[in-house]
Amino acid sequence: MTEQTGGRRVVTNMSLSLDGHYAGPDDPQDMSWVMPYAITDVARDHLAGLWETATTALLGRVNAEGFLGFWPTVIGMEGADPRDEGFAKWLVDSDKVVLSSTLGEAPWERTTIVDKPTTEAVADLKATAGGDILVLSSASVIKALLAADQVDRLALNIFPVFLGGGPRLFDDGLPAGKWTLVSQAAGEHGTLALVYDRVR
């Protein structure tokens, strides 16, 4: 893993529908629409390319409960894809920062609860040594970082489905700026994995 000081990248990863939503209109917590596409080779390889250079996972409380409730159970699971198991081990072993104003203490190992604005928490993390800071599908966290122009690498899975409504990742009023495409891959079911770096 890359150890660096002062130059830690903020890497965000999100799955979007073709019509630009990260969740459907009825239940923002229902991610069942993602599942057929998340287990494709393209999606698994995409995630592996992100966590391999990261030393910190940054999550909102809701996502932390989902991710940290599920992924540790994959380790040693019969028939588990090695890439899934690799990510699960990384998630368990890495430092985790969970942004929450309601959690008093972390029920997970190697986890720090931070009750402050996203942008301040990220500034604090960037001032420490380590590899990439990976934000895993936490929409509220990613939206705050995009609004503050604090995202260095924007990773997206685009899945070929229209959700017909629901919350969007990219709101009007984001800071203008350019991005450069650093990787792209297409795979089964029309899954598309894109990684962009912010041009500063």
Side-chain angles (χ1 to χ4, degrees), residues 95-128:
D95 294 326
K96 291 167 284 292
V97 175
V98 176
L99 299 171
S100 175
S101 59
T102 55
L103 276 179
E105 58 184 48
W108 315 286
E109 291 182 7
R110 298 187 64 123
T111 303
T112 304
I113 305 296
V114 174
D115 180 9
K116 59 171 60 173
T118 299
T119 53
E120 288 181 30
V122 165
D124 291 347
L125 285 172
K126 288 195 81 163
T128 63

Side-chain angles (χ1 to χ4, degrees), residues 1-54:
M1 293 186 189
T2 325
E3 291 288 331
Q4 49 198 32
T5 309
R8 301 186 74 181
R9 292 183 305 184
V10 175
V11 180
T12 63
N13 187 45
M14 196 62 160
S15 297
L16 297 177
S17 64
L18 196 54
D19 59 345
H21 303 282
Y22 62 81
D26 299 326
D27 180 4
Q29 306 306 321
D30 179 14
M31 298 304 291
S32 59
W33 67 276
V34 165
M35 294 318 296
Y37 308 104
I39 57 173
T40 59
D41 285 335
V42 164
R44 282 175 162 141
D45 290 344
H46 169 79
L47 184 57
L50 300 177
W51 64 257
E52 285 170 350
T53 55

Side-chain angles (χ1 to χ4, degrees), residues 67-180:
F67 270 78
L68 300 173
F70 168 72
W71 280 103
T73 68
V74 173
I75 300 170
M77 183 186 288
E78 189 177 340
D81 186 285
R83 292 164 294 187
D84 293 345
E85 204 163 0
F87 172 69
K89 287 176 181 172
W90 173 83
L91 188 61
V92 168
D93 294 341
S94 67
D95 294 326
K96 291 167 284 292
V97 175
V98 176
L99 299 171
S100 175
S101 59
T102 55
L103 276 179
E105 58 184 48
W108 315 286
E109 291 182 7
R110 298 187 64 123
T111 303
T112 304
I113 305 296
V114 174
D115 180 9
K116 59 171 60 173
T118 299
T119 53
E120 288 181 30
V122 165
D124 291 347
L125 285 172
K126 288 195 81 163
T128 63
D132 291 341
I133 301 157
L134 179 57
V135 186
L136 293 160
S137 305
S138 292
S140 61
V141 176
I142 296 172
K143 285 163 80 84
L145 294 173
L146 286 169
D149 198 14
Q150 282 186 312
V151 176
D152 302 304
R153 172 161 283 187
L154 177 67
L156 300 169
N157 278 311
I158 310 294
F159 299 144
V161 59
F162 277 16
L163 292 178
R168 293 183 178 277
L169 185 63
F170 304 115
D171 294 326
D172 286 345
L174 289 175
K178 292 187 176 179
W179 298 79
T180 184

